[in-house]
């Protein structure tokens, strides 16, 4: 339930925000790469939220795509890169009285552009600003995130 309130609150609030200022003289993007957000060996995943931290002086989020782990039953996928400087918020959920998915697979793919050849890699963080990384089961109870359960890895170049 926390996921639904967190993401719905964010989406609702973003509808009423003043337009954000764009960077003046933003540096040129030198290239881009794709990162995959994957879940591994999970049982009964119904909803998820992942916070990714990155250095916004070196990287920019260009595109975000939903993964296929929750399947076509997953009507809700949200991404937001304007929640805080250097924070990308991703989330997804199933809907209704259905069983969560078990196993391993992709939750999302993110295309990052880089301004510098020597950039720091983005990382999944447990807390970023006022947002948390979490997994929920079909009872909307938290699933403990063990080492290696959530991964962020380079999936290719663009």
């Amino acid at each position: 339930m926390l996921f639904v309130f967190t993401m719905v609150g964010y989406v609702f609030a973003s509808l009423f925000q003043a337009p954000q200022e764009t960077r003046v003289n933003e540096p040129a993007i030198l290239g881009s790469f794709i990162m995959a957000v994957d879940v591994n060996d999970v049982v009964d995943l119904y909803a998820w939220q992942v916070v990714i931290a990155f250095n916004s002086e070196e990287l920019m989020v260009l595109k975000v795509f939903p993964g296929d782990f929750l399947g076509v039953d997953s009507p809700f996928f949200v991404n937001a890169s304007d929640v805080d400087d250097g924070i990308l918020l991703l989330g997804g959920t199933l809907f209704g009285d259905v069983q969560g998915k078990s196993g391993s697979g992709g939750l999302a793919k993110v295309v990052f552009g880089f301004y510098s050849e020597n950039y720091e890699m983005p990382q999944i963080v447990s807390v970023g600003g006022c947002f948390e990384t979490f997994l929920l089961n079909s009872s909307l109870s938290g699933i403990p995130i063990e080492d290696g359960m959530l991964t962020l890895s380079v999936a290719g170049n663009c």
Side-chain angles (χ1 to χ4, degrees):
M1 208 53 147
L2 177 64
F3 168 77
V4 173
F5 292 128
T6 302
M7 295 307 289
V8 169
Y10 172 77
V11 170
F12 185 70
S14 68
L15 294 174
F16 297 102
Q17 286 182 340
Q20 292 189 346
E21 295 180 26
T22 57
R23 291 183 184 180
V24 177
N25 298 326
E26 189 169 303
I29 295 174
L30 302 177
S32 61
F33 60 95
I34 304 168
M35 296 204 77
V37 179
D38 294 314
V39 65
N40 302 293
D41 301 321
V42 70
V43 176
D44 190 29
L45 180 64
Y46 185 86
W48 61 276
Q49 180 172 289
V50 171
V51 180
I52 298 174
F54 62 97
N55 184 333
S56 62
E57 297 297 317
E58 300 171 346
L59 300 173
M60 171 188 248
V61 176
L62 298 178
K63 293 182 185 176
V64 179
F65 302 96
D68 58 2
F69 180 70
L70 290 183
V72 294
D73 300 345
S74 177
F76 302 109
F77 175 79
V78 178
N79 72 86
S81 60
D82 60 349
V83 295
D84 201 355
D85 190 40
I87 296 292
L88 172 62
L89 179 64
L90 302 172
T93 184
L94 296 172
F95 181 73
D97 188 19
V98 297
Q99 186 69 27
K101 303 291 180 169
S102 297
S104 300
L107 296 176
K109 289 195 177 176
V110 181
V111 180
F112 285 96
F114 54 89
Y115 303 124
S116 165
E117 294 289 339
N118 299 318
Y119 53 85
E120 186 178 336
M121 293 301 288
Q123 299 178 47
I124 294 175
V125 294
S126 58
V127 176
C130 60
F131 298 100
E132 296 180 37
T133 293
F134 61 82
L135 305 175
L136 298 177
N137 64 24
S138 57
S139 300
L140 299 182
S141 298
I143 299 172
I145 300 174
E146 299 176 11
D147 284 343
M149 187 176 277
L150 281 174
T151 58
L152 180 64
S153 58
V154 176
N157 294 322
C158 296

